[in-house]
Amino acid sequence: MGDTLHDTDLIIIGGGPAGCAAARMAAGVGMGSVLVEPDRLCRNLYRIPALNNVLGGHTGGPGLADAIVAELRSTELCRLELGRYVTELRADDDQVAATLDTGASLTAPYAVVATGVGPLQPSEAPWITAPAGLTLPVLWRADADDAHGRTLLVLGGDRPIGTFLRAHPTTDTRLLVAYPATDAYKTDEIRDDPQVTLLPADHLTLHGGEGAQLSAEAVGRDGVRRTITADAAFLSLGNAPAAPPGDLIRGTDGYCPPTAQHPRLIVAGDLRSARFQRIMTALGSGSEAALQAYYAARDLPIKG
């Protein structure tokens, strides 16, 4: 890795599928890594009850997460820094430096940044007016007790609505899905579900949060106003990128396109774009990111 003394061959920031795949691939080509994750490994996978788009026979997130975590914990070349997060990430001609919340600093020739995304809240959606400071839970984390015998207002038409319905096929619930025009194509898989009522809206004003009989007023695309009542509200608005402070370059949408970054900062997983946020693409991009660092450290071209 050159004459400069570093703490490791590769810093990996984020312990989801992309970060874990990067660490496993790095070990497979003989690179040591330090993986920094503020929570548990694959934390969001553990909250996904039903899967239908991954290889390996896994039908639920927890089973896949257990397999990934077990594989990574047996990887001797990867050191885990769990419960830690990066407060600053800097890259120069010679190295990457990541400052942790403890004040400690890690250096390496390259870093893979796979910090992913977090859920958008109502205040961050331009088509929603909501009480100040209101935060709501995301629908895909809801369980049967949250839904059974209840009417739920779902803000946004993002695809995890389908995940929720597949996870609770016998739950007696009604979903009122209010969504903007930009989410229309995402609702195709739930359009014919008898438990779903689609409410296309140009604007929605929410008059309550979680709790009994919240209400909202939706203005449809035809200008007609409609009052909505429900037992609780959940989010399916999509996500916002969660990049660490420092030298990462963000696009106008907040994401970090890989081609815009410093050569020593390699972005993987959901942080790259809103367009390819799938478990399989995260695993593949994490593996590719580690290989990119491996080849770059040896001045080897990546041949197409």
Side-chain angles (χ1 to χ4, degrees):
M1 297 297 174
D3 297 329
T4 304
L5 182 63
H6 297 110
D7 296 306
T8 186
D9 297 326
L10 184 65
I11 298 169
I12 300 169
I13 306 171
C20 290
R24 190 65 191 89
M25 179 60 74
V29 293
M31 297 177 72
S33 66
V34 176
L35 187 152
V36 183
E37 165 57 46
D39 203 314
R40 65 191 296 194
L41 295 174
C42 293
R43 66 187 184 281
N44 285 334
L45 265 184
Y46 281 106
R47 298 164 178 161
I48 300 177
L51 297 174
N52 69 342
N53 59 355
V54 298
L55 296 173
H58 297 284
T59 58
L64 177 58
D66 282 344
I68 292 173
V69 171
E71 180 80 7
L72 193 60
R73 288 190 178 278
S74 68
T75 303
E76 294 181 359
L77 287 175
C78 177
R79 188 181 101 213
L80 298 176
E81 287 283 349
L82 302 182
R84 303 269 70 90
Y85 61 90
V86 172
T87 59
E88 187 176 45
L89 181 64
R90 297 295 179 190
D92 58 31
D93 290 342
D94 299 319
Q95 66 177 17
V96 174
T99 303
L100 305 186
D101 56 305
T102 59
S105 179
L106 294 171
T107 62
Y110 295 90
V112 171
V113 187
T115 44
V117 295
L120 283 169
Q121 289 294 328
S123 62
E124 298 170 292
W127 61 281
I128 297 176
T129 299
L134 175 68
T135 60
L136 294 172
V138 290
L139 180 67
W140 59 268
R141 295 182 188 172
D143 59 27
D145 290 339
D146 294 321
H148 190 71
R150 306 179 80 196
T151 296
L152 307 182
L153 173 61
V154 182
L155 306 183
D158 211 38
R159 289 191 178 91
I161 298 173
T163 299
F164 172 82
L165 291 168
R166 288 190 295 272
H168 307 293
T170 62
T171 298
D172 178 19
T173 188
R174 183 184 179 208
L175 303 184
L176 307 178
V177 181
Y179 63 96
T182 51
D183 280 4
Y185 74 98
K186 301 178 182 178
T187 64
D188 287 346
E189 70 173 89
I190 60 172
R191 192 171 298 279
D192 297 326
D193 193 296
Q195 295 185 98
V196 173
T197 299
L198 295 178
L199 303 172
D202 279 345
H203 195 82
L204 182 135
T205 302
L206 189 63
H207 299 299
E210 292 181 277
Q213 291 302 303
L214 65 89
S215 65
E217 184 179 64
V219 180
R221 291 164 203 167
D222 54 4
V224 174
R225 295 178 179 272
R226 175 176 179 175
T227 299
I228 303 167
T229 59
D231 297 309
F234 288 85
L235 300 175
S236 193
L237 291 172
N239 299 299
D247 287 341
L248 284 172
I249 305 297
R250 292 176 180 258
T252 56
D253 58 0
Y255 286 88
C256 300
T259 57
Q261 307 306 319
H262 189 285
R264 294 188 179 277
L265 298 177
I266 306 168
V267 178
D270 292 356
L271 188 60
R272 298 171 299 160
S273 167
R275 299 190 65 183
F276 303 106
Q277 294 185 355
R278 298 290 189 274
I279 295 166
M280 290 289 284
T281 57
L283 290 165
S285 74
S287 299
E288 182 178 337
L291 284 177
Q292 183 177 336
Y294 172 77
Y295 290 130
R298 288 156 177 77
D299 295 321
L300 297 174
I302 301 175
K303 297 180 180 181

